[in-house]
């Protein structure tokens, strides 16, 4: 995220960026089917986050609540956070053993840009659930975890 006009943009420091994301996450996003927040409010580095996605309509995911963990290392937002499903899910971009969203199989992480946010990741994962190659995949029992 840069401020300013023309080529003289000012890069927003990591913690300011994360505070802005925290504020957006706490206010709620769009229709309320995607949300996120910090795991530990005492973590001054703001590294560990929890995300929630409610599965999209007209898919095998409909009505399911998926919990995810996002970890923003010190190089975020220059590099993407690691994203891992805590709730078991069957998707083509998710490692079936660990729940890790595999960057090479998830375009937003593979082509990460500094302007992208955790909100973008969760929203795109929800869209990915509704994609033809994921919308009808057999799912593990609800309430099971990696």
């Amino acid at each position: 995220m840069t401020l300013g006009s023309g080529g003289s943009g000012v890069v927003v420091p990591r913690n300011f960026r994360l505070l802005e994301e925290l504020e957006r996450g706490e206010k709620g996003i769009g229709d309320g089917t995607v949300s996120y927040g910090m795991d530990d409010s005492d973590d001054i580095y703001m590294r560990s986050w929890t995300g929630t996605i409610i599965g999209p309509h007209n898919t095998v995911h409909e009505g399911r609540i998926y919990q995810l963990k996002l970890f923003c290392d010190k190089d975020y937002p220059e590099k993407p956070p690691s994203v891992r499903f805590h709730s078991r899910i069957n998707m083509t971009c998710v490692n079936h053993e660990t729940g890790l969203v595999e960057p090479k199989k998830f375009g937003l992480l593979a082509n990460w840009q500094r302007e992208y946010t955790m909100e973008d990741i969760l929203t795109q994962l929800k869209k990915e659930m509704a994609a033809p190659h994921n919308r009808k995949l057999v799912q593990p029992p609800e309430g099971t975890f990696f």
Side-chain angles (χ1 to χ4, degrees):
M1 172 181 291
T2 58
L3 303 173
S5 59
S8 63
V10 175
V11 175
V12 176
R14 178 185 181 278
N15 279 9
F16 289 175
R17 161 71 179 268
L18 286 169
L19 285 169
E20 194 174 286
E21 289 198 51
L22 177 60
E23 187 176 327
R24 276 192 61 82
E26 287 177 342
K27 286 182 179 173
I29 305 161
D31 62 3
T33 59
V34 171
S35 64
Y36 62 96
M38 283 182 55
D39 277 347
D40 179 4
S41 60
D42 292 331
D43 178 8
I44 61 170
Y45 298 108
M46 303 176 79
R47 293 172 293 202
S48 189
W49 298 69
T50 297
T52 303
I53 301 172
I54 298 175
H57 295 296
N58 301 318
T59 70
V60 293
H61 307 284
E62 184 170 357
R64 286 186 172 218
I65 299 171
Y66 294 101
Q67 297 287 327
L68 300 89
K69 296 291 181 186
L70 299 97
F71 186 81
C72 300
D73 214 344
K74 62 184 181 295
D75 51 8
Y76 178 85
E78 299 301 330
K79 294 195 174 148
S82 65
V83 183
R84 183 182 306 272
F85 274 84
H86 180 58
S87 307
R88 281 204 169 273
I89 189 168
N90 185 11
M91 284 175 65
T92 56
C93 63
V94 178
N95 181 298
H96 299 300
E97 300 292 319
T98 65
L100 184 70
V101 176
E102 297 181 2
K104 290 178 182 166
K105 296 181 180 180
F106 184 60
L108 193 80
L109 296 180
N111 303 303
W112 183 257
Q113 295 179 25
R114 187 178 211 287
E115 296 76 32
Y116 295 162
T117 64
M118 288 181 273
E119 176 181 341
D120 294 328
I121 293 169
L122 295 172
T123 302
Q124 193 59 42
L125 280 169
K126 183 180 172 192
K127 287 180 184 171
E128 189 70 15
M129 288 176 187
H133 52 275
N134 285 316
R135 68 181 307 129
K136 294 185 179 179
L137 287 178
V138 175
Q139 295 300 310
E142 199 166 355
T144 57
F145 302 97
F146 286 104

